Amino acid sequence: MTAAEDVRPGTDRLRAAVERRVPGRALERPFYTDPEFHALDIAAIFARQWLFVAPEAEIPEPGDYLTLEIGPYPLIVLRDADSTLRAFHNVCRHRGSRLLDAERGSARNLVCAYHRWTYGTDGRLRHAPSQPADADPGRLGLRPVHVRAVGGLLFVCLADEPAPGFDEIAARVEPYLLPHDLRHARVAARADLVEHGNWKLVMENNRECYHCDGHPELLRTFFPTYGHTEETLPPHLRPAHERYLRADAELRATYERLGLPYALIEELEARPVGFRIQRDALDLAGESFTPDGRAASRRTLGDLPTRRLGHLALHLQPSSWFHVVADHAITFSVRPLAPDRTLLRTTWLVHPEAVEGVDYDLDTLRAVWTATNEQDARFVARAQRGVSSPAYTPGPYAPTEYQVEAFCAWYIARLREVLG
């Protein structure tokens, strides 16, 4: 059954809403509230596109695994006995029991608790009690899912044929990520936050800084000229702009000396995975996302020789974004739970030998983005309540919301591919 067939009830109504979409304006109410649109999003986006699921540091050793759910699809991502990355549907091939319950762990074999069917970490069926003599174990292995690592970040694709073009994007992104050696980093903390809004509202909120005066902790590390151009810069921000230009020139010299790529690449509507990547200066001490801008850890990722690297920002359609500073990295992944509920998972990575309480303080490490996530969750909940009103009509985007428009245009293009 194709993704389009999965959502055939109401297809004409869904198609009509997609075709009515006006560029430069917000989406109509059903995109955020309708259960059939939620099902379409799962089928057209989350069951077809490459999705970030976790840092590779979550499964560093052979046998390590993690489990997750993407819509109705329970998955296992693991490192097999030969250290090869693998992913499977978390469904026993006997009678469909959930195979693993723990969110993460380590195992030599994957054993179903129901009837003890046992699979190797390569997915092959190794033992099935009381089966007929003509049963063929070779045809009863776990159903695989496409998985790959990009610069220490794990991605999966649920489609039988993975979305094309991802290799090219990975090749362009990896040179920015590899110097920070995220593959060998250590997970310092992770946090799950259920936001009371549609997943697209979560992503749209992330894709603009029109609302950033609601993030006082984050704004301390951003220059106050953020979002302005030379033409829109008010006179009172000229001194701050001069300070930014000096910091930018210093960082560009540092990037050149260390061989770090820093050019902005912005292809947010590219098929199949729009993306944006850039290095940029931070204000205050210019080292990290902390209340004073100083590094939160004494150890730098990848053992780079300076803490003053600004930040590396990576946005990937449809559901993830990342920030890397000299001393730590933060990953963000979004998963739809219901038309009006979304899971945001945030993970903080540090140098593999960094010791909590010695090299870094965990509260300092988490402070800025924990506050920012909670503030964003309140904004998203307000937006969900508003778009749920019959009185809601889509308003126009401001010029500073061009990334929101790019996300929505990318999203609509993917729906059209499925709906025809």
Side-chain angles (χ1 to χ4, degrees):
M1 182 177 290
T2 67
E5 289 169 337
D6 287 341
V7 293
R8 190 157 299 282
T11 295
D12 290 344
R13 181 175 60 84
L14 301 178
R15 184 184 293 112
V18 169
E19 293 307 317
R20 282 197 305 271
R21 198 266 159 158
V22 178
R25 286 185 172 267
L27 301 175
E28 294 180 1
R29 176 189 178 198
F31 286 94
Y32 303 114
T33 61
D34 193 316
E36 287 193 350
F37 259 112
H38 176 71
L40 176 60
D41 286 356
I42 298 296
I45 306 295
F46 289 88
R48 292 167 63 96
Q49 305 300 317
W50 283 97
L51 307 171
F52 168 71
V53 291
E56 198 172 353
E58 294 257 16
I59 49 172
E61 302 296 334
D64 288 351
Y65 69 83
L66 60 91
T67 65
L68 67 148
E69 295 187 14
I70 298 174
Y73 300 95
L75 304 179
I76 303 168
V77 181
L78 59 78
R79 197 175 294 278
D80 73 11
D82 297 324
S83 289
T84 302
L85 290 172
R86 297 186 185 273
F88 304 101
H89 290 277
N90 191 4
V91 178
C92 182
R93 292 298 307 279
H94 176 214
R95 283 167 50 192
S97 173
R98 181 71 57 92
L99 196 59
L100 297 178
D101 291 323
E103 288 189 4
R104 53 189 55 84
S106 184
R108 295 178 61 184
N109 292 303
L110 310 180
V111 182
C112 178
Y114 197 2
H115 298 101
R116 312 302 296 174
W117 279 39
T118 302
Y119 305 86
T121 53
D122 59 1
R124 295 180 183 178
L125 179 63
R126 290 188 171 180
H127 177 66
S130 304
Q131 289 298 297
D134 59 353
D136 182 3
R139 300 174 64 86
L140 292 171
L142 296 177
R143 290 188 58 188
V145 172
H146 301 284
V147 62
R148 63 168 300 168
V150 178
L153 306 174
L154 294 174
F155 294 81
V156 300
C157 182
L158 296 173
D160 292 338
E161 293 294 329
F166 193 65
D167 288 346
E168 176 191 352
I169 292 167
R172 299 173 72 183
V173 165
E174 275 201 321
Y176 287 77
L177 297 172
L178 289 176
H180 300 279
D181 196 19
L182 301 184
R183 161 69 176 86
H184 297 104
R186 184 174 65 80
V187 175
R190 72 177 61 81
D192 284 350
L193 178 62
V194 175
E195 301 197 24
H196 293 276
N198 186 270
W199 74 274
K200 295 183 290 296
L201 291 177
V202 176
M203 295 306 302
E204 291 171 23
N205 177 78
N206 171 258
R207 293 304 195 246
E208 49 94 353
C209 210
Y210 196 21
H211 71 284
C212 276
D213 58 357
H215 296 312
E217 296 84 359
L218 181 62
L219 280 189
R220 286 180 56 81
T221 58
F222 283 149
F223 283 87
T225 55
Y226 185 84
H228 286 285
T229 65
E230 288 280 359
E231 294 73 24
T232 65
L233 196 68
H236 74 278
L237 289 181
R238 289 288 173 185
H241 184 58
E242 294 298 325
R243 190 170 76 251
Y244 167 77
L245 292 177
R246 289 193 296 271
D248 181 63
E250 174 193 332
L251 282 182
R252 287 171 182 263
T254 299
Y255 299 150
E256 294 283 354
R257 175 169 55 85
L258 297 178
L260 301 178
Y262 60 88
L264 167 64
I265 307 177
E266 192 167 53
E267 299 179 7
L268 292 169
E269 295 183 44
R271 183 184 185 278
V273 182
F275 75 105
R276 183 184 193 276
I277 192 165
Q278 179 188 27
R279 294 188 189 273
D280 203 6
L282 291 174
D283 204 356
L284 303 177
E287 297 176 351
S288 195
F289 291 112
T290 56
D292 61 2
R294 298 189 183 280
S297 174
R298 296 191 297 183
R299 305 294 298 266
T300 58
L301 291 171
D303 293 320
L304 290 166
T306 178
R307 297 176 188 169
R308 192 171 169 84
L309 290 175
H311 75 114
L312 170 65
L314 170 62
H315 289 180
L316 286 172
Q317 315 290 36
S319 58
S320 57
W321 65 94
F322 313 84
H323 291 288
V324 184
V325 288
D327 64 316
H328 69 279
I330 317 104
T331 72
F332 305 84
S333 63
V334 165
R335 297 179 210 154
L337 302 177
D340 59 353
R341 286 190 303 118
T342 302
L343 175 68
L344 172 67
R345 172 163 292 178
T346 307
T347 305
W348 287 262
L349 303 173
V350 296
H351 188 281
E353 297 178 10
V355 177
E356 181 183 347
V358 177
D359 295 303
Y360 66 93
D361 174 73
L362 187 59
D363 290 340
T364 302
L365 185 78
R366 295 184 52 182
V368 169
W369 282 107
T370 296
T372 301
N373 286 347
E374 291 171 352
Q375 291 152 3
D376 278 333
R378 290 194 289 271
F379 289 135
V380 167
R382 292 175 68 90
Q384 183 69 37
R385 290 196 296 271
V387 299
S388 298
S389 167
Y392 162 72
T393 56
Y397 294 136
T400 55
E401 295 174 288
Y402 75 95
Q403 290 189 49
V404 182
E405 168 59 28
F407 167 75
C408 290
W410 180 91
Y411 164 75
I412 290 294
R414 303 292 79 77
L415 298 194
R416 284 176 173 153
E417 289 174 353
V418 170
L419 292 172

